Amino acid sequence: DVKVTQSSRYLVKRTGEKVFLECVQDMDHENMFWYRQDPGLGLRLIYFSYDVKMKEKGDIPEGYSVSREKKERFSLILESASTNQTSMYLCASRERGTSNGELFFGEGSRLTVL
Amino acid sequence: AQSVSQHNHHVILSEAASLELGCNYSYGGTVNLFWYVQYPGQHLQLLLKYFSGDPLVKGIKGFEAEFIKSKFSFNLRKPSVQWSDTAEYFCAVTPYSSASKIIFGSGTRLSIRP
């Protein structure tokens, strides 16, 4: 069974803390994504990576950075968490070069910043 | 700007009722179209997709969607809903030329009364 695994389902952090969200996929996919899901806003792309060490900004990259040191792992970093980053974060992966390909999602990481 | 509109934010139906969820997109070129579903407590998963050929596509669990190019629409339908269809449904569009640009709608929450 194909899998995208996000390391933390629930996190509570304080304003100003550094936050790491980790994602691992076992499908050998080149493309990996970090989305933010908020009620009424759907999914908004934060960052996209199309290969190891390669990344592109999505629609809302401010306040976030990413790291892709290995093909299977894509990390989202909040350098200094703020309350407006309280949200559900979704990681996804897809095969390279397939604009019609299916996105495979993790179960999400719900982050609360106090 | 490219966008996907899901006009129904919350739909409440009784079991056995027919369902149609609207999805309209704004993009002038060739697109691939998707419906994803998120059951309570579960990860997002693909319901169905269209990328070419017959504009009426069938997905899992009795769902279907029709691509009407002239209306820029990709509405989701099911003739008879079940309580287990309670979920949030997301329409998504990918420009044919892009593997990374996936635009999601804001989602429609479907509640089925038993």
Side-chain angles (χ1 to χ4, degrees):
Chain A
D1 197 16
V2 296
K3 222 165 181 181
V4 177
T5 304
Q6 295 184 230
S7 56
S8 305
R9 291 293 304 275
Y10 301 95
L11 301 96
V12 180
K13 298 292 182 181
R14 297 206 174 273
T15 300
E17 280 192 85
K18 191 168 186 175
V19 181
F20 291 88
L21 300 179
E22 303 249 299
C23 174
V24 178
Q25 50 97 0
D26 64 1
M27 294 164 282
D28 203 35
H29 287 166
E30 287 82 5
N31 294 347
M32 295 188 74
F33 305 78
W34 273 107
Y35 288 94
R36 175 174 167 159
Q37 182 181 11
D38 297 289
L41 296 178
L43 277 69
R44 293 178 290 167
L45 181 65
I46 305 171
Y47 267 98
F48 160 66
S49 170
Y50 53 92
D51 207 341
V52 174
K53 296 191 188 294
M54 308 304 286
K55 62 186 179 186
E56 281 184 11
K57 291 181 180 179
D59 299 316
I60 53 164
E62 296 78 17
Y64 304 95
S65 62
V66 290
S67 171
R68 187 132 180 238
E69 296 297 319
K70 293 185 177 181
K71 189 177 185 180
E72 68 271 17
R73 189 179 297 270
F74 190 36
S75 301
L76 180 69
I77 303 151
L78 288 67
E79 294 289 344
S80 177
S82 63
T83 54
N84 62 11
Q85 292 177 309
T86 291
S87 187
M88 172 69 87
Y89 291 88
L90 299 179
C91 177
S93 72
R94 186 164 79 170
E95 285 183 353
R96 181 202 294 276
T98 53
S99 60
N100 61 5
E102 176 182 355
L103 276 172
F104 292 89
F105 286 90
E107 293 193 338
S109 299
R110 185 168 292 282
L111 172 67
T112 301
V113 183
L114 302 175
Chain B
Q2 299 155 2
S3 65
V4 176
S5 297
Q6 292 182 247
H7 303 294
N8 311 107
H9 298 294
H10 189 193
V11 173
I12 303 172
L13 295 173
S14 298
E15 277 196 312
S18 65
L19 169 71
E20 181 160 1
L21 301 182
C23 173
N24 289 89
Y25 66 93
S26 63
Y27 182 75
T30 304
V31 294
N32 300 301
L33 298 152
F34 305 82
W35 277 97
Y36 285 87
V37 60
Q38 188 173 33
Y39 297 105
Q42 295 188 26
H43 62 274
L44 271 154
Q45 57 187 287
L46 182 69
L47 199 55
L48 48 79
K49 67 178 180 181
Y50 169 83
F51 55 95
S52 66
D54 189 344
L56 184 63
V57 293
K58 295 191 184 297
I60 59 172
K61 303 188 180 185
F63 285 90
E64 65 179 32
E66 185 175 13
F67 172 47
I68 303 179
K69 191 174 181 180
S70 60
K71 295 185 178 180
F72 297 89
S73 71
F74 190 54
N75 292 354
L76 181 70
R77 300 194 294 244
K78 186 171 184 179
S80 177
V81 294
Q82 300 171 312
W83 179 80
S84 58
D85 294 323
T86 295
E88 189 153 20
Y89 294 81
F90 293 91
C91 182
V93 172
T94 302
Y96 188 74
S97 58
S98 170
S100 64
K101 189 75 175 174
I102 307 163
I103 307 157
F104 283 86
S106 56
T108 297
R109 187 156 64 100
L110 176 64
S111 299
I112 305 298
R113 290 189 292 246

